Amino acid sequence: MSQVPLFARMRIALLAPAVYATTAVAQPTSAPAHRVTSPDGKNVVSIETRSGGLFYSVDRSGRRVILPSRLGFEFRGARPLRDSLRIVGSSRSAKDTAWALPWGEVARVREHYNELRVQVGETVAPQRHFTVVVRAFDDGVGFRYELADSAGFRDFEMMEELTEFTVADDARAWWIRANQPQPDRYEQLYVSTPVSKIDTAHTPLTLELQNGIRAVIHEADLVDYAGMNLAGQFERRTLRVTLPPWADGVRVRGRAPFVTPWRTIQLADRVEDLAPSVLTLKLNPPSRIADATPYRPMKYVGIWWGMHLNVNTWGEGATHGATTANTRRYIDFAAANGMGGVLVEGWNEGWNGDWMANRNGFSFTKAYPDYDLPGLAAYAKSKGVTLIGHNETAMGIENYERQLDSAFALYQRLGIRAIKTGYVNDKTLEGHAHTGQYMVRHFRKVVETAARYGIGVDVHEPIKDTGERRTWPNMMSREGARGQEYNAWGGEGGNPPEHETILFFTRMVSGPMDFTPGIFDLTIKRPSGRPRAPEEARPRTTLAKQLALYVVLYSPLQMAADLIENYERQRAFQFIRDVAVDWDTTRVLQGRIGDYVAVARKAKGKDEWFVGAITDEEARTLDVSLSFLRAGGRYVAEIYADGPRASWRDNPESIAISSRPVTSATRLSLVLAPGGGQAIRIRSLP
Ligand code: NOJ
Ligand code: CA
């Protein structure tokens, strides 16, 4: 700061940030300029200019992660901010604080970082200036741009953000394709390639560098901007930000003062240390909801799988799923089995005929005549269960926004505490991208409106999770990947056995997922009375793996997704009754992306742990230590293991249920079948 000329210092004062670390502590004066290091000294971000371009780089423990990579923007009707830039000043601060989450995969988060603010000015007219803010945490780094009011921006139309990520070596990347082919959605199978072979990828993008470092490129605090995609540059290791557009091609409309989302790079030495992933939470504002108790984690059942299997319909007719009688049956089942909610799809007008085409025909308040909405809501309430209102919009956004207040007010009056929204269809009718700024604004509007009515939200076909649950804890869960539904009708025969072992290290590091585990009729015998042909879609897992997914794939809303009749007389269903949905802490015991993962989680406020282990198509045995248990404690492990000859292929429902005493000194040998898994409840003995 001291070398900065006076005029620049005055300008910096004008740029003083609105949000500033409150508990500033002194930084070592020897720290080099324009460089910030994480509190543990491992992660380093440097900012510099080269020939008028602005670049950042990231190192960890002396190893390069991101080589100098460009920063900047392109605007409509204005010069790009790219080539005539210089650093005019910088300042530092630090913060160390901790806070509780109302629900989560951990109960508390420590937010500890060093911050560097770098003021950048254009050397040519119109001499705009902006700030790059960098925060270095022990588990990764984040940076964002701040465009100040007085800095020559005012109303702007951004045509691209020029941020790049040049990965230090040709790391292995796990990714799904963005932008093309249409439709643009997250519901794809992951592929794994060297970084240099990436076409265009969604984030989170998980990387295994050849130098051993594990990194996830993602973003945080996406509020009024387009979702970030990363475009590969043929045979190079540089990924360039590319933003999905409005219908007219503009990427981001804004007015200064303006902040972009944080670009985040989570960093770890072992893949197991990528979870629990809370970096994005630390880069979102504190909760705006004073009392988050209405947003209680819960398990739920629903009138849902029957439609995906094609034995029920969403629309009216002889096999309509959402009837009063059927819903009462589900409410009774939920109440008898400790499930907090009942999802009902197809209850509202709009489903008859081609609902994807007739997207503006949905009513979110008018029920079909065979569905007694107030009566059922009252019945559910009397049994301590909530209905989960289903709002499929089919991307008829204006139609939905017009009804938001009246619908949510109705649900609140009826005691409906949660909704599941849906956005089947690619673009909006007007042509705005599914993950562009128009939709980002919409998704946020739904969450904020729902909060005013005390309603929790579960979004399907969502915008990706960028940590908004810290600010809006009613934003509980979302889909945003290929979930269980693909096992009813998806191509390729359903999700392959490795799918969830990839999800854990990719999609799940962004936040909770409503995957909807718990299918018990794995060969889908019931609808047709016969097993399906092998090539037909079905869950390619064993039954024990379906149970393990409750622990592995975190969500505060966990569905028991099968038809409830498929749970009758099933001893294995006891695990779903018992499993927790809210956690004090999470430990990844072992894992390898695409192969296997074993996770232990401690139930919130209890001396009780759950372990979930899953494998891909290969059988394997994992040796795990229970050293996470309280030393000196006596526990019993209730073990749901693959049966001796279990296999996803020809014997998926074979399960061996047993129990044994364990302590923190016990080692368990988890024997997993092909496509198999193991689920364990460990409860303490008095
Ligand atoms: C897709 C959702 O993922 C699924 O859960 C839902 O049943 C259908 N859309 C219909 O809304
Ligand atoms: Ca979906």
Side-chain angles (χ1 to χ4, degrees):
M1 189 81 168
S2 52
Q3 306 101 323
V4 177
L6 183 64
F7 76 91
R9 261 187 271 162
M10 289 169 63
R11 187 181 275 177
I12 293 160
L14 285 174
L15 287 172
V19 201
Y20 208 70
T22 43
T23 51
V25 297
Q27 286 290 289
T29 46
S30 60
H34 316 315
R35 175 165 297 184
V36 62
T37 302
S38 57
D40 68 0
K42 288 189 180 164
N43 302 327
V44 182
V45 182
S46 312
I47 307 260
E48 61 188 325
T49 50
R50 295 180 166 195
S51 322
L54 183 67
F55 293 80
Y56 77 99
S57 53
V58 181
D59 297 78
R60 175 172 171 83
S61 308
R63 284 174 286 174
R64 313 232 71 183
V65 180
I66 303 290
L67 301 181
S69 299
R70 190 176 286 281
L71 299 166
F73 299 101
E74 234 165 57
F75 298 99
R76 178 139 94 180
R79 283 173 57 94
L81 274 175
R82 180 193 167 95
D83 296 316
S84 310
L85 302 172
R86 69 189 178 106
I87 294 172
V88 295
S90 70
S91 61
R92 294 166 178 283
S93 63
K95 188 170 182 178
D96 187 3
T97 173
W99 28 269
L101 287 171
W103 49 262
E105 64 278 59
V106 294
R108 277 184 84 71
V109 175
R110 181 175 178 194
E111 183 182 333
H112 188 193
Y113 62 81
N114 292 325
E115 179 179 282
L116 168 69
R117 305 176 59 82
V118 177
Q119 286 84 31
V120 183
E122 218 175 353
T123 53
V124 296
Q127 299 201 315
R128 291 163 293 182
H129 44 269
F130 60 97
T131 304
V132 179
V133 187
V134 187
R135 289 187 186 165
F137 300 83
D138 292 350
D139 58 344
V141 301
F143 62 89
R144 78 174 351 163
Y145 303 84
E146 289 182 5
L147 310 183
D149 199 7
S150 56
F153 291 101
R154 305 213 177 272
D155 292 304
F156 61 83
E157 291 184 326
M158 189 192 296
M159 298 311 287
E160 201 54 282
E161 180 185 316
L162 300 177
T163 307
E164 295 183 348
F165 299 82
T166 298
V167 182
D169 58 45
D170 205 5
R172 179 142 293 266
W174 299 84
W175 57 284
I176 50 173
R177 191 182 261 203
N179 290 349
Q180 48 176 317
Q182 301 298 350
D184 186 19
R185 43 179 19 189
Y186 306 129
E187 297 178 8
Q188 301 170 49
L189 295 177
Y190 278 78
V191 294
S192 153
T193 70
V195 150
S196 58
K197 304 282 185 217
I198 288 179
D199 172 333
T200 303
H202 285 291
T203 76
L205 175 72
T206 301
L207 301 171
E208 296 192 314
L209 277 80
Q210 289 165 10
N211 66 16
I213 290 168
R214 306 309 179 222
V216 180
I217 303 177
H218 191 43
E219 60 180 309
D221 202 19
L222 171 61
V223 180
D224 189 13
Y225 206 82
M228 174 179 78
N229 297 329
L230 299 171
Q233 313 300 308
F234 184 67
E235 297 298 338
R236 291 177 51 213
R237 303 193 312 269
T238 297
L239 303 168
R240 242 179 226 162
V241 169
T242 166
L243 304 171
W246 290 74
D248 63 1
V250 172
R251 271 27 184 206
V252 177
R253 313 190 120 84
R255 155 172 271 221
F258 188 88
V259 294
T260 69
W262 294 93
R263 277 62 189 95
T264 60
I265 306 170
Q266 206 193 322
L267 295 164
D269 298 326
R270 303 179 324 138
V271 79
E272 288 92 337
D273 295 335
L274 290 178
S277 171
V278 291
L279 179 64
T280 62
L281 298 182
K282 295 185 280 193
L283 291 168
N284 270 267
S287 180
R288 296 271 302 274
I289 297 179
D291 176 15
T293 45
Y295 313 114
R296 273 198 301 275
M298 64 178 167
K299 287 167 274 188
Y300 71 98
V301 287
I303 297 176
W304 179 77
W305 189 233
M307 277 84 89
H308 288 271
L309 293 181
N310 227 353
V311 296
N312 290 119
T313 58
W314 279 281
E316 289 172 294
T319 54
H320 187 209
T323 64
T324 300
N326 202 19
T327 308
R328 281 180 79 97
R329 210 164 60 87
Y330 271 76
I331 294 169
D332 291 342
F333 180 89
N337 291 286
M339 312 274 128
V342 175
L343 166 73
V344 185
E345 297 199 359
W347 66 273
N348 57 318
E349 284 183 6
W351 289 96
N352 297 345
D354 185 349
W355 54 269
M356 281 176 69
N358 304 330
R359 51 176 87 177
N360 286 335
F362 279 112
S363 164
F364 300 100
T365 52
K366 288 194 204 119
Y368 281 129
D370 56 351
Y371 186 80
D372 172 14
L373 175 63
L376 287 164
Y379 183 63
K381 211 170 163 187
S382 76
K383 296 221 151 192
V385 169
T386 178
L387 289 178
I388 300 175
H390 184 231
N391 293 175
E392 173 59 64
T393 66
M395 293 286 280
I397 301 305
E398 290 180 12
N399 177 53
Y400 188 38
E401 289 198 355
R402 266 196 302 275
Q403 300 182 53
L404 277 185
D405 276 291
S406 54
F408 293 175
L410 171 70
Y411 305 159
Q412 187 182 41
R413 259 197 327 276
L414 295 175
I416 295 175
R417 298 200 316 269
I419 57 167
K420 169 181 170 181
T421 58
Y423 295 87
V424 173
N425 265 328
D426 182 22
K427 295 181 174 159
T428 69
L429 274 176
E430 305 75 22
H432 306 308
H434 200 132
T435 56
Q437 187 182 21
Y438 175 90
M439 284 302 294
V440 167
R441 285 181 180 173
H442 167 77
F443 286 118
R444 187 56 73 112
K445 179 173 183 168
V446 172
V447 172
E448 295 188 15
T449 309
R452 288 211 302 277
Y453 294 95
I455 291 173
V457 183
D458 172 15
V459 188
H460 278 232
E461 300 80 47
I463 185 69
K464 62 183 152 181
D465 193 326
T466 61
E468 50 272 63
R469 64 185 154 132
R470 179 177 177 197
T471 314
W472 298 104
N474 67 316
M475 177 59 243
M476 299 191 75
S477 195
R478 76 188 81 203
E479 190 185 38
R482 267 175 75 127
Q484 184 96 271
E485 61 181 0
Y486 280 77
N487 297 331
W489 42 256
E492 306 99 4
N495 298 324
E498 66 172 6
H499 183 57
E500 299 85 0
T501 70
I502 302 172
L503 282 184
F504 183 83
F505 295 103
T506 54
R507 160 65 183 82
M508 301 308 297
V509 295
S510 69
M513 175 177 178
D514 189 33
F515 178 87
T516 72
I519 298 302
F520 274 34
D521 178 13
L522 288 160
T523 53
I524 313 185
K525 293 181 284 295
R526 189 174 286 272
S528 58
R530 63 165 170 85
R532 293 180 151 196
E535 68 277 8
E536 282 180 83
R538 64 179 170 96
R540 293 199 258 173
T541 77
T542 64
L543 181 54
K545 182 168 174 178
Q546 288 287 325
L547 299 181
L549 294 177
Y550 286 87
V551 186
V552 173
L553 301 179
Y554 170 64
S555 177
L557 305 175
Q558 281 291 27
M559 188 176 198
D562 211 336
L563 311 172
I564 52 175
E565 46 274 35
N566 289 339
Y567 295 133
E568 274 162 23
R569 289 179 298 282
Q570 292 279 356
R571 273 183 69 209
F573 187 68
Q574 187 60 41
F575 184 81
I576 300 183
R577 284 195 195 102
D578 293 336
V579 69
V581 281
D582 196 14
W583 308 100
D584 273 333
T585 190
T586 288
R587 306 263 174 86
V588 183
L589 305 176
Q590 288 177 29
R592 208 160 62 205
I593 309 179
D595 294 337
Y596 62 90
V597 61
V599 187
R601 302 190 198 263
K602 181 180 175 297
K604 183 92 149 258
K606 287 186 181 173
D607 190 9
E608 182 173 354
W609 288 76
F610 290 83
V611 175
I614 60 172
T615 178
D616 60 2
E617 67 287 345
E618 280 189 35
R620 61 184 98 229
T621 301
L622 305 180
D623 175 52
V624 303
S625 152
L626 303 189
S627 57
F628 50 80
L629 296 176
R630 186 171 44 82
R634 288 168 55 247
Y635 298 83
V636 62
E638 297 165 1
I639 300 170
Y640 298 74
D642 289 322
R645 275 169 301 283
S647 157
W648 74 269
R649 194 183 291 278
D650 50 19
N651 191 17
E653 290 167 17
S654 165
I655 192 162
I657 304 173
S658 62
S659 65
R660 55 167 285 187
V662 294
T663 69
S664 63
T666 307
R667 294 193 78 89
L668 290 181
S669 188
L670 314 183
V671 181
L672 313 178
Q678 192 165 131
I680 310 175
R681 175 194 190 199
I682 305 176
R683 60 184 169 82
S684 72
L685 293 170

